[in-house]
Amino acid sequence: MTVTSGLEPLAQQEFEDIRDKAAAKASRADGRVKFWNVAHVGMGATAAAAAAAAGGAGLADAGMRVLAGILALVSASLTATLGFVRTDQRIAGNKRSHRAWTAVERAARAELVMLSTMSTEETRDALSRVHQAYDSAHEAYGATAPQS
């Protein structure tokens, strides 16, 4: 038994809405992964270079102590920022979020493909599963998920 003509367009619209929202959220999560990767590498590499330059400047000449101190402070500040911001955890959380939203998008797409062959009960079950996956995806990032 296929879906009644009144339910199918409503279900189709709901699956399409979920698919589109999930795709947008997956894209934003992917963008955040890229941002935090760049921040992590950029701050880490700069901190390492500043530490090396501070050591070199301090050993090269006694008159370079002020420069060595400034470079050491820059290195320490960047290292502390990395620890405070926890870029590695932000990257991992956004990767989880991206995977969860991508799974929701795929599930909605799959249900759209099968929609014309589903019974009313199968359609309700499919909507329930996709809604549950959507709700679970909100929790994939963790307790500090950015609101977007």
Side-chain angles (χ1 to χ4, degrees), residues 20-109:
D20 295 345
K21 288 177 184 176
K25 288 176 182 280
S27 178
R28 285 194 295 271
D30 188 49
R32 288 189 300 266
V33 167
K34 290 175 183 171
F35 170 81
W36 287 113
N37 271 323
V38 168
H40 185 77
V41 170
M43 283 192 280
T46 304
L59 293 172
D61 184 11
M64 302 285 277
R65 282 184 281 169
V66 172
L67 176 61
I70 291 170
L71 290 171
L73 286 173
V74 167
S75 176
S77 297
L78 288 170
T79 302
T81 300
L82 279 171
F84 177 74
V85 175
R86 299 163 64 160
T87 55
D88 55 335
Q89 290 186 0
R90 291 178 183 267
I91 291 166
N94 280 299
K95 283 182 178 180
R96 280 192 309 274
S97 180
H98 179 263
R99 282 191 302 271
W101 287 115
T102 301
V104 171
E105 180 186 4
R106 278 193 314 264
R109 285 182 188 281

